[in-house]
Amino acid sequence: MQNIPRQWTENGTLNRWIDEIASLCRPSHIHLCDGSDEEYDRLAKTLVDAGKLTLLNPAKRPHSFWCHSHPDDVARVEESTFICSLREEDSGPTNHWKEPAEMHRHLHTLFCGCMQGRTMYVVPYCMGPISSLFSVVGVEITDSAYVVLNMKLMTRMGKPALEHLEGGSFVPGVHSVGVPLAEGEKDLLWPCNPQARCIVHFPEERSIWSYGSGYGGNALLGKKCLALRIASAIGRDEGWLAEHMLILGITSPQGEKRYMAAAFPSACGKTNLAMLTPSLPGWKIECVGDDIAWIHVGRDGRLYAINPEAGYFGVAPGTSMKTNPNAMRTIQKNTIFTNVALTADHDVWWEGINGEAPEGLTSWLGEKWNPSKGAAAQPNSRFTVSAKQNPIYDTEADNPQGVPLSAIIFGGRRNSVIPLVYEALSWEHGVFMGASISSETTAAAKGDLGKLRHDPFAMLPFCGYHMGDYFRHWLEMGQKTAPEKLPRIYTVNWFRKSSDGHYMWPGFGENARVLKWIFERTAEEAPAQKTAIGYLPTELDVSHLSLSQEHMEKLLEVDKAAWLQETEGLAAYFKLFGQKMPEALLGELKELRERLEK
Ligand code: TSX
Ligand code: MN
């Protein structure tokens, strides 16, 4: 490549970095992305012509595409994800760590010449509304056109991001599928290099390197890598929070609107809750975001949340007009589908979309589907789509100040013990609730089925620093403002089962009843009783549900023996964080135990 730094942009640091990465990776071409619709269409056509994307039936799914990945490149890879802080203790017991200098040497070897025969795309993107002081600009260098298309849908990408950046600093991220091409060599359908795969974060440098995977969470660096792992470390240093939370606006029949954020581990239906169609007449829900929230203390002392993303990268299986009608409407057009099944008339299909599989399906492996050989759609198959297409896209979703939070909700998938809903006694108790989240694994997750996994704040795979320090940071956030300005904190559990193994709560749109109680609690308008674990509803609106009083009592029951056992499990888990485990949270655990024993 050339020696004189090229004037790619107005930002000198960015220009030098682009040249530096180009000379390391040695691509055949360099393309600076402007983020225009024309650029998107041009790149999509290139992929269609190469047989890597399939244009869906324009009558059924306008301007949408289907593709399938390499069978070994279908999910995030936690065992190959690294937090390379200078000190090992800053990464903590729940992250993989390598000494930064050593990791840099390894990355240098991996990336040396890795883009030969490919185009290197430079993708500037803004996480957060373009004019927001809370937004962070990233620049991803990638050799995957698929990544560019997804980044266009998921972020504010291209020219607007560069304009926001001006001469400021950005989070650099380098991504390669890890398959250089010799002169004239034909590319793979989905190039990837699973043996050498690694997703690496340098929290002090604020940089990201990702090699060998083309899959979403590993390759779209704005999402989990920047907006959670790097941003959580920035938030620790600057006094704000980067969280794995949906953000929704809820309006009462009286026209009063409040905002809530909610954290759930995977397979708990976060996207479904974010876009809920309430069953209760007169209530309205609008969606700010379905995955990530950045939370700052506002001038008025309240906590304000922005969604750093601009799109949804949602799990397809299980999504239907019954479970999430707004998602179904959102993905009607201009959507990329990855690893779902393809119908004979070039529409998409997945398990749970509605009833039986139609004849003539092409499976996610790109073959005629054989039902005896597993699901037609990969369980982690996805849709990528702009959030603006959501019919309930919140009017304040692009507000650069964010939206004021009245409630923060934690949840998990728990067959037993955890009641449908309860409220924390204080901010500290709420932080304890977040640290206590655990969830039963489902078929969609790997590992044993039905096993209880701790996932504090649903951040276990996404915290860019020591989880004990993270707990402390949450406690400190509560000190930054007056207690009455803080959102109240809740735990919910949609998944409690009766002794005969049936889900006790209808879930989905009926969850509006729980949100209504939370809504009213945040203004002291709903009755509650103080119990050992927190405030529980004494009256929940279950009109027209035909659930008996006895049933509701079971759903909200606090089984003291089971809870004491729960505290044993937590005490053992918290030991993992050693000296970094905040005394205040151990105190919350002790007090909970004492209240249960009383
Ligand atoms: O997303 C879910 N939510 C939240 C919705 C806003 N799911 C799906 C989880 C997998 C991603 C749920 N599953 C919910 C829920 O509230 N509840 C359940 C459990 C459940 C499943 C089926 C029924 C009831 C509860 N009922 C019938 O099948 C008729
Ligand atoms: Mn997520």
Side-chain angles (χ1 to χ4, degrees), residues 60 68 97 145 276 355 458 464 584:
K60 304 210 155 206
H68 66 96
W97 179 84
L276 193 81

Side-chain angles (χ1 to χ4, degrees), residues 231-278:
S232 63
I234 301 176
R236 169 199 56 187
D237 298 342
E238 296 182 354
W240 51 278
L241 297 165
E243 297 302 320
H244 192 202
M245 289 178 176
L246 66 86
I247 309 163
L248 62 79
I250 174 166
T251 307
S252 71
Q254 289 72 39
E256 213 182 310
K257 187 170 186 181
R258 290 176 198 156
Y259 287 94
M260 305 178 177
F264 297 87
S266 59
C268 293
K270 203 149 103 255
T271 300
N272 296 341
L273 186 63
M275 303 175 190
L276 193 81
T277 305

Side-chain angles (χ1 to χ4, degrees), residues 76 223-224 228 244-245 264-266 270-271 290-292 309 313 382 458 462:
R76 287 183 296 102
K223 194 176 177 65
K224 304 304 192 182
L228 287 175
H244 192 202
M245 289 178 176
F264 297 87
S266 59
K270 203 149 103 255
T271 300
D290 80 328
D291 199 37
I292 304 177
E309 301 192 281
F313 184 65
R382 301 278 171 155
F462 307 119

Side-chain angles (χ1 to χ4, degrees), residues 4-42:
I4 7 141
R6 270 193 58 180
Q7 197 69 30
W8 297 103
T9 69
E10 304 288 308
N11 187 300
T13 312
L14 177 52
N15 293 339
R16 280 188 294 278
W17 179 67
I18 295 170
D19 283 349
E20 180 197 326
I21 300 305
S23 62
L24 172 66
C25 301
R26 303 202 294 277
S28 310
H29 303 279
I30 300 176
H31 174 84
L32 174 67
C33 295
D34 62 15
S36 64
D37 295 344
E38 295 71 38
E39 176 181 75
Y40 182 91
D41 290 341
R42 209 168 348 102

Side-chain angles (χ1 to χ4, degrees), residues 305-320:
I306 63 162
N307 173 14
E309 301 192 281
Y312 310 122
F313 184 65
V315 173
T319 307
S320 70

Side-chain angles (χ1 to χ4, degrees), residues 445-579:
K446 53 184 171 180
D448 316 68
L449 212 120
K451 222 184 131 189
L452 196 63
R453 286 249 180 81
H454 289 277
D455 187 355
F457 291 81
M459 280 290 278
L460 201 63
F462 307 119
C463 187
Y465 61 103
H466 196 297
M467 192 59 87
D469 289 330
Y470 170 92
F471 295 157
R472 189 176 39 76
H473 181 51
W474 260 86
L475 290 166
E476 284 168 5
M477 284 296 291
Q479 304 293 315
K480 286 183 187 291
T481 189
E484 70 274 11
K485 302 266 188 186
L486 289 166
R488 299 228 197 150
I489 302 182
Y490 299 82
T491 292
V492 300
N493 176 26
W494 317 133
F495 302 94
R496 198 168 197 180
K497 286 182 175 174
S498 56
S499 44
D500 60 1
H502 291 106
Y503 286 118
M504 297 182 75
W505 181 247
F508 301 96
E510 306 297 354
N511 293 337
R513 299 165 187 276
V514 173
L515 298 185
K516 176 186 175 185
W517 183 75
I518 294 175
F519 180 101
E520 290 172 349
R521 280 296 292 170
T522 61
E524 312 275 359
E525 288 157 356
Q529 57 174 326
K530 197 169 179 178
T531 75
I533 65 167
Y535 295 102
L536 266 89
T538 47
E539 288 165 37
L540 200 67
D541 182 350
V542 287
S543 50
H544 314 293
L545 269 190
S546 68
L547 298 176
S548 69
Q549 175 96 28
E550 194 192 353
H551 185 96
M552 287 312 296
E553 279 168 13
K554 273 277 171 209
L555 198 47
L556 291 166
E557 184 190 39
V558 181
D559 176 342
K560 292 204 171 178
W563 265 96
L564 278 168
Q565 221 180 324
E566 183 84 8
T567 61
E568 300 287 325
L570 283 170
Y573 182 64
F574 290 160
K575 285 209 165 67
L576 179 62
F577 306 110
Q579 292 298 304

Side-chain angles (χ1 to χ4, degrees), residues 41-255:
D41 290 341
R42 209 168 348 102
L43 282 175
K45 185 173 184 307
T46 311
L47 290 178
V48 169
D49 292 345
K52 297 179 178 214
L53 271 189
T54 299
L55 181 68
L56 291 172
N57 187 336
K60 304 210 155 206
R61 204 69 68 169
H63 198 236
S64 298
F65 302 93
W66 173 79
C67 65
H68 66 96
S69 75
H70 187 283
D72 297 334
D73 195 22
V74 298
R76 287 183 296 102
V77 281
E78 282 171 33
E79 61 282 3
S80 312
T81 301
F82 296 88
I83 303 295
C84 297
S85 45
L86 294 173
R87 298 185 307 178
E88 183 169 11
E89 67 185 82
D90 287 335
S91 132
T94 56
N95 283 313
H96 298 294
W97 179 84
K98 275 242 160 60
E99 200 271 310
E102 185 191 331
M103 182 55 96
H104 272 304
R105 283 192 293 277
H106 177 59
L107 290 169
H108 192 88
T109 320
L110 284 179
F111 280 84
C112 195
C114 70
M115 294 186 187
Q116 281 177 71
R118 297 188 184 278
T119 297
M120 174 178 123
Y121 301 95
V122 180
V123 186
Y125 60 96
C126 182
M127 297 312 282
I130 285 292
S131 59
S132 176
L133 289 172
F134 306 137
S135 294
V136 173
V137 173
V139 182
E140 174 165 356
I141 286 182
T142 178
D143 55 11
S144 164
Y146 167 84
V147 164
V148 178
L149 297 182
N150 279 269
M151 289 296 283
K152 155 90 173 162
L153 298 175
M154 292 300 297
T155 71
R156 290 134 175 120
M157 192 271 264
K159 216 164 159 253
L162 276 186
E163 284 165 7
H164 180 78
L165 172 65
E166 291 188 331
S169 66
F170 58 93
V171 175
V174 190
H175 167 255
S176 173
V177 294
V179 185
L181 289 174
E183 186 92 38
E185 187 184 355
K186 197 173 157 4
D187 196 10
L188 301 165
L189 192 59
W190 179 284
C192 62
N193 189 344
Q195 288 75 40
R197 201 155 47 189
C198 57
I199 295 85
V200 186
H201 309 74
F202 296 95
E204 287 99 352
E205 270 176 34
R206 297 180 183 175
S207 69
I208 307 159
W209 293 75
S210 169
Y211 187 87
S213 170
Y215 171 81
N218 304 323
L220 311 177
L221 302 186
K223 194 176 177 65
K224 304 304 192 182
C225 299
L226 192 162
L228 287 175
R229 299 197 189 95
I230 295 293
S232 63
I234 301 176
R236 169 199 56 187
D237 298 342
E238 296 182 354
W240 51 278
L241 297 165
E243 297 302 320
H244 192 202
M245 289 178 176
L246 66 86
I247 309 163
L248 62 79
I250 174 166
T251 307
S252 71
Q254 289 72 39

